[in-house]
Amino acid sequence: MKNMLYLCSEIQISYIMNLTFIKTTELNVKLKCSIQASGKLGFTDATATALRLDKERYIKFAQDTDDNNQLYMVFVASNDDGSFKVRKSGSYYYIPTQALFESLGYNYKDTNYIFDLVRMVNLDITAQGEVYKMNKREKERKGGNDDIE
């Protein structure tokens, strides 16, 4: 919702700026996922809810052409050769990404990779889907601890 803010005086009304209000509900969820020791990409419960994950969603991955280390996750409308189907085990959502991360050189058995997801609306039309930038953090994996922090 855009609103115009005006400074009023008796004689003149002056335009100051365009305002777009940000909903606090959009700021409360930190979207995260991590590569598990098995190579699967797992999502926190809050992220799964915010992204509306279900077994009928498909995801593609892309690399930045200028920076191969920068990954993007793109939610697409249907399955094709390059997409991954979202899977569910109990209440846990994941994507079977072992081969993908191995091909990209991720040592997920020894390193815990956590991705903070940032919505990139400006790329949706180009990517033909809902785009999230995957900001990577990494730390040494401790004896099978796959917690997302």
Side-chain angles (χ1 to χ4, degrees), residues 16-141:
I16 295 178
M17 67 181 78
N18 243 347
L19 295 178
T20 301
F21 290 92
I22 300 167
K23 298 177 185 174
T24 58
T25 55
E26 295 172 357
L27 301 175
N28 292 335
V29 176
K30 291 183 180 179
L31 302 178
K32 298 180 188 184
C33 58
S34 70
I35 306 173
Q36 308 304 309
S38 63
K40 297 174 185 175
L41 187 67
F43 298 88
T44 64
D45 289 338
T47 299
T49 300
L51 295 178
R52 303 171 318 281
L53 292 183
D54 65 43
K55 296 188 292 186
E56 301 306 315
R57 296 216 62 192
Y58 297 92
I59 297 174
K60 286 185 171 186
F61 293 91
Q63 287 178 302
D64 188 316
T65 55
D66 295 327
D67 179 5
N68 285 343
N69 291 319
Q70 183 58 64
L71 291 177
Y72 294 85
M73 179 185 300
V74 183
F75 288 86
V76 292
S78 60
N79 189 15
D80 65 27
D81 285 344
S83 64
F84 293 82
K85 186 172 180 157
V86 173
R87 308 263 174 99
K88 185 176 182 183
S89 177
S91 63
Y92 174 72
Y93 286 96
Y94 69 93
I95 304 169
T97 51
Q98 299 88 332
L100 169 72
F101 290 120
E102 285 174 7
S103 73
L104 295 174
Y106 284 73
N107 180 12
Y108 55 78
K109 292 180 182 173
D110 297 322
T111 306
N112 191 13
Y113 296 97
I114 301 162
F115 298 97
D116 297 311
L117 305 178
V118 178
R119 184 74 172 92
M120 303 296 290
V121 176
N122 60 320
L123 298 176
D124 286 359
I125 293 172
T126 303
Q128 299 178 349
E130 192 176 299
V131 180
Y132 290 84
K133 185 175 182 179
M134 300 174 69
N135 292 327
K136 179 177 69 173
R137 294 183 283 139
E138 56 186 91
K139 64 180 186 176
E140 186 178 337
R141 191 175 294 282

